[in-house]
Amino acid sequence: MQTKILSTTDDDKIVTTLAEQGYVVIDDYLPAHTIFALAEVARTKLCNQEMAHARTGKQAETRQHIRGDHICWLDENSPDIAIQQYFVHMQHLKQLLNQQLFIGLASLETHLAIYPVGAVYQKHLDQFNAGGSTQLNTRKISSILYLNQDWQPKHGGELRLHLDNEEWIDILPIGGRLVLFLSADFWHEVLPAHRERLSLTGWFRTREPQLL
Ligand code: OGA
Ligand code: MN
């Protein structure tokens, strides 16, 4: 299935597309130099061993098989200019979504992620509703910003977003591309890549858990 990719300039279009189909893909959401700087931050953190194996709550042996990325949570008060710019853009987006969709987004939690060659994140939901933790239930909108220079289709590493049981879309992790989707509604997975794959994942959260 083909996805329509939006450009960044039209805020209204971003919000209406998200409201209509539950997800939206926007290219060049941040300037190329900011994307480049964020990728450098991720690589530096990996070298400095500030990135940890992501946890899925499962046994250590199976964990990497389910989810092979290394992550580092980011702080809004970071002194790094590129990280600050990221938060400025996300703040703008949060206001836009609150003003136009009245969804009461309060905060953003966000982490850098590095997937080594061949690593995956198996099919999952970002929000668990069956007696899951309160914290996860407050995740309302998932946002993924890709940081990869010159990513080609042959590199793989697509985000597979399942629209229903039979239909999905595959989204390439092209640098500067932002994907937004309703956290409770979309099962998704990360396919293996032939290159190291960098992303910055965020969840806009409401203050109170919402009934689904
Ligand atoms: C996640 C996730 C998708 C991606 O971190 O929960 O689903 O494309 N990431 O990086
Ligand atoms: Mn996810």
Side-chain angles (χ1 to χ4, degrees):
M1 166 148 180
Q2 284 290 320
T3 320
K4 191 161 180 286
I5 314 280
L6 302 183
S7 73
T8 129
T9 45
D10 195 344
D11 278 350
D12 285 346
K13 186 82 186 142
I14 293 172
V15 176
T16 39
T17 307
L18 180 62
E20 273 167 25
Q21 56 185 22
Y23 68 91
V24 61
V25 182
I26 313 141
D27 272 351
D28 301 317
Y29 195 73
L30 263 66
H33 63 89
T34 308
I35 296 296
F36 187 79
L38 288 168
E40 284 303 298
V41 171
R43 284 198 200 92
T44 308
K45 284 185 183 293
L46 188 67
C47 289
N48 295 346
Q49 302 188 325
E50 290 172 55
M51 308 275 291
H53 269 299
R55 297 171 62 105
T56 55
K58 299 277 181 356
Q59 295 295 316
E61 316 85 67
T62 55
R63 207 182 279 157
Q64 220 150 311
H65 171 64
I66 297 172
R67 175 172 188 186
D69 58 334
H70 297 74
I71 62 167
C72 176
W73 292 95
L74 292 184
D75 182 348
E76 209 152 337
N77 302 315
S78 163
D80 189 283
I81 303 280
I83 295 177
Q84 286 174 14
Q85 281 168 344
Y86 167 77
F87 278 111
V88 168
H89 280 84
M90 290 295 119
Q91 193 65 28
H92 167 79
L93 187 57
K94 189 179 86 180
Q95 274 169 11
L96 186 75
L97 295 171
N98 279 341
Q99 280 161 8
Q100 300 201 18
L101 300 180
F102 310 105
I103 46 179
L105 303 174
S107 60
L108 175 73
E109 52 174 354
T110 183
H111 67 57
L112 285 161
I114 298 189
Y115 288 76
V117 172
V120 298
Y121 193 162
Q122 288 184 3
K123 191 171 167 184
H124 66 282
L125 263 186
D126 285 346
Q127 202 187 67
F128 308 111
N129 51 16
S133 92
T134 304
Q135 201 188 1
L136 287 169
N137 275 337
T138 61
R139 287 180 174 176
K140 190 79 181 164
I141 293 186
S142 302
S143 102
I144 304 148
L145 176 70
Y146 297 108
L147 309 178
N148 306 295
Q149 303 282 317
D150 304 321
W151 196 272
Q152 307 291 328
K154 66 177 182 206
H155 297 135
E158 293 91 344
L159 167 64
R160 178 163 290 176
L161 198 63
H162 293 266
L163 307 182
D164 59 36
N165 280 338
E166 278 127 48
E167 225 179 352
W168 65 73
I169 51 169
D170 285 345
I171 302 165
L172 281 174
I174 292 171
R177 175 170 281 178
L178 180 76
V179 180
L180 301 173
F181 59 89
L182 299 178
S183 306
D185 292 1
F186 290 89
W187 287 85
H188 57 285
E189 58 192 302
V190 176
L191 305 184
H194 301 290
R195 265 178 65 186
E196 185 178 74
R197 178 191 191 274
L198 308 179
S199 60
L200 219 174
T201 303
W203 293 275
F204 289 106
R205 289 166 49 175
T206 52
R207 220 173 293 279
E208 300 296 331
Q210 311 228 318
L211 289 176
L212 300 171

